[in-house]
Amino acid sequence: MKKVVLAYSGGLDTSYCLKYLKNEKGYEVHTVLINTGGFDEAELVAIEKEPTN
C-alpha cells in the first residue's frame, strides 16, 4: 500500500483531501498537525481523541 503524509489543518479542504486520498486513491494517510498557536486547549484535546481510521 502506498503511504502519504498530509499536513492537516482540520479545515474543509484537508478533510476532503484526507478522505479522497484514503478512499479514492487507496493511500495509507498519515496526518501531521503542528500547533502554531491557533488552537485553544479544548480543540487540542478533541484532536488527540479523534479516531485514526
Side-chain angles (χ1 to χ4, degrees):
M1 177 179 282
K2 293 182 180 179
K3 299 177 183 179
V4 65
V5 175
L6 178 66
Y8 187 70
S9 70
L12 182 59
D13 293 346
T14 53
S15 295
Y16 173 82
C17 289
L18 173 63
K19 293 292 187 180
Y20 174 77
L21 290 168
K22 184 178 175 186
N23 297 337
E24 301 294 325
K25 293 295 188 177
Y27 285 100
E28 180 179 316
V29 181
H30 298 267
T31 58
V32 176
L33 183 131
I34 298 171
N35 182 6
T36 59
F39 298 99
D40 63 33
E41 195 63 34
E43 290 172 314
L44 292 172
V45 169
I47 290 166
E48 289 182 21
K49 290 182 179 180
E50 287 187 31
T52 58
N53 53 11

